[in-house]
Amino acid sequence: MNPLLRMLLGIGSGRLPERLRAELAAEGLVLLEEELTGSVTRRRYRAPGEWSSWSKEAASGAIAITAGRLVVWAGRFKHIDVPLAHPIRATIEVVVDRPGRVCFAYDAGTTNPSRSGRVEVRLRTAQAGRVAQLLAADE
């Protein structure tokens, strides 16, 4: 999708902020995929001033894996930023749900008690299998 069209649709550029990218590079990037197309689905989602039994929105995103950290960015929002060895990492489901598409599913209340529900971030990448394999090795 055209980068200008992504911005006009409000789904973001799919690129990590420069400061975060530099921080991850300093940690030793194992994998960085940016400008990925995909979606964010929320099920039984509650947040202050927000409620949805089900919603799905288009999003551009990025995936970064360092030797010790996982970051998933989608729709102008950092959904996941967790050390690989942290117990919360074990609660994040990472699966290749279709060829060329990886899904990160997590409970919104795990890190923010004012939120609840399931969030699924799906991003299309030719590296989907590698992403799942790298993260399976850390479980």
Side-chain angles (χ1 to χ4, degrees), residues 67 88 96 103 136:
I88 289 176
V96 177
C103 177

Side-chain angles (χ1 to χ4, degrees), residues 61-127:
I63 303 165
I65 301 172
T66 70
R69 184 172 169 192
L70 166 65
V71 175
V72 177
W73 186 279
R76 300 178 189 232
F77 180 76
K78 183 169 50 173
H79 284 265
I80 298 169
D81 186 353
V82 64
L84 295 176
H86 196 283
I88 289 176
R89 166 54 196 101
T91 68
I92 301 167
E93 298 171 40
V94 181
V95 296
V96 177
D97 65 352
R98 288 190 185 165
R101 186 173 80 178
V102 65
C103 177
F104 299 89
Y106 66 95
D107 180 337
T110 301
T111 58
N112 188 338
S114 69
R115 299 175 189 270
S116 65
R118 180 177 171 92
V119 179
E120 299 167 354
V121 178
R122 289 180 174 81
L123 296 169
R124 289 179 201 84
T125 172
Q127 298 287 327

